[in-house]
């Protein structure tokens, strides 16, 4: 599996902003779909945002539309997630991956995925 490394998570107040970054041990930017999902212990994985291989088209979960922006730097092989107007319900561990269903903003399970990472924790307090 391809190893990914996320960074940028932190504890912030509601209304605050964060920028998450995702790097990989090999080129992942040419994949059809790359993106971010989040998960809390005991809860289902939730797709957050995805971006196409060229970085032109994006898609978001309804819960983050208008607040989060996904982008990537193909030359640096880095994926970003700009998070604004954060809410307590955004609290979760955030992961990146490059095997997603673009239209559904959905990601496979750990067992099905070609990627593995430890994620980065985002905690939003009210």
């Amino acid at each position: 599996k391809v190893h990914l490394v996320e960074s940028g998570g932190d504890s912030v107040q509601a209304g605050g902003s964060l920028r998450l970054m995702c790097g990989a041990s090999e080129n992942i930017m040419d994949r059809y779909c790359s993106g971010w999902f989040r998960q809390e212990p005991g809860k289902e994985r939730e797709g957050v945002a995805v971006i196409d291989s060229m970085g032109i088209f994006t898609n978001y979960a309804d819960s983050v539309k208008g607040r989060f922006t996904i982008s990537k730097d193909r030359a640096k092989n880095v994926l970003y997630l700009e998070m604004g107007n954060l809410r307590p319900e955004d609290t979760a561990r955030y992961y990146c991956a490059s095997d997603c269903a673009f239209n559904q903003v959905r990601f496979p399970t750990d067992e099905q995925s070609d990627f593995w990472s430890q994620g980065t924790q985002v905690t939003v307090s009210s």
Side-chain angles (χ1 to χ4, degrees):
K1 295 195 175 189
V2 178
H3 182 212
L4 304 176
V5 178
E6 301 92 345
S7 63
D10 205 346
S11 296
V12 297
Q13 296 261 327
S17 301
L18 285 173
R19 187 193 200 200
L20 306 184
M21 297 176 59
C22 170
S25 56
E26 62 183 66
N27 184 10
I28 63 170
M29 293 295 111
D30 292 334
R31 296 260 182 158
Y32 166 69
C33 177
S34 301
W36 296 86
F37 64 92
R38 62 191 182 188
Q39 192 165 17
E40 290 187 90
K43 295 188 177 180
E44 287 193 1
R45 180 169 301 188
E46 179 188 11
V48 174
V50 294
I51 189 167
D52 75 323
S53 59
M54 296 302 295
I56 297 173
F57 298 103
T58 58
N59 200 9
Y60 298 90
D62 288 342
S63 57
V64 306
K65 280 181 181 176
R67 301 188 298 119
F68 291 11
T69 302
I70 187 172
S71 63
K72 64 181 180 180
D73 186 326
R74 299 183 71 213
K76 295 181 179 179
N77 199 36
V78 176
L79 189 67
Y80 301 98
L81 185 67
E82 299 276 359
M83 310 166 67
N85 193 19
L86 283 161
R87 304 168 180 169
E89 52 265 39
D90 294 319
T91 295
R93 197 157 189 88
Y94 284 71
Y95 301 83
C96 59
S98 283
D99 49 358
C100 40
F102 186 90
N103 290 336
Q104 296 80 17
V105 194
R106 190 172 65 233
F107 292 79
T109 63
D110 288 342
E111 294 75 19
Q112 297 169 329
S113 178
D114 293 333
F115 300 88
W116 72 276
S117 64
Q118 294 186 322
T120 186
Q121 180 67 34
V122 173
T123 303
V124 185
S125 57
S126 57

